[in-house]
Amino acid sequence: MNKEKIIICSNCGNEIEILYYKCLDNYIQTKYFDTEEENIFCSHECFCKYLSLEEIEIDEEEL
């Protein structure tokens, strides 16, 4: 009887089979994740979406 723990992405909910991404920054870990399981992501994109990270282009008029 092999009971493997199922690993789920915190953002999209997909099951992770081979590798996952995890935030290693201590400040972000303590502020955003209550458990280790919440700090598991299937991709960089899911991590960025989870923390609402967005790319913003600088408008030349703002300079």
Side-chain angles (χ1 to χ4, degrees):
M1 181 174 11
N2 186 6
K3 290 189 174 184
E4 292 184 20
K5 185 176 181 181
I6 296 174
I7 300 172
I8 304 294
C9 176
S10 291
N11 185 60
C12 68
N14 287 336
E15 186 175 331
I16 300 170
E17 296 182 13
I18 299 175
L19 66 95
Y20 63 89
Y21 296 85
K22 180 177 186 174
C23 177
L24 300 179
D25 182 276
N26 288 335
Y27 179 81
I28 292 175
Q29 284 178 343
T30 58
K31 293 294 181 185
Y32 289 97
F33 307 112
D34 293 330
T35 66
E36 281 293 314
E37 289 79 22
E38 290 178 359
N39 188 9
I40 295 175
F41 302 92
C42 65
S43 67
H44 287 99
E45 292 81 14
C46 272
F47 175 72
C48 291
K49 287 177 184 176
Y50 185 85
L51 292 180
S52 300
L53 184 65
E54 183 178 332
E55 181 179 341
I56 299 175
E57 189 172 329
I58 297 174
D59 186 0
E60 289 187 22
E61 293 176 3
E62 294 177 4
L63 296 176

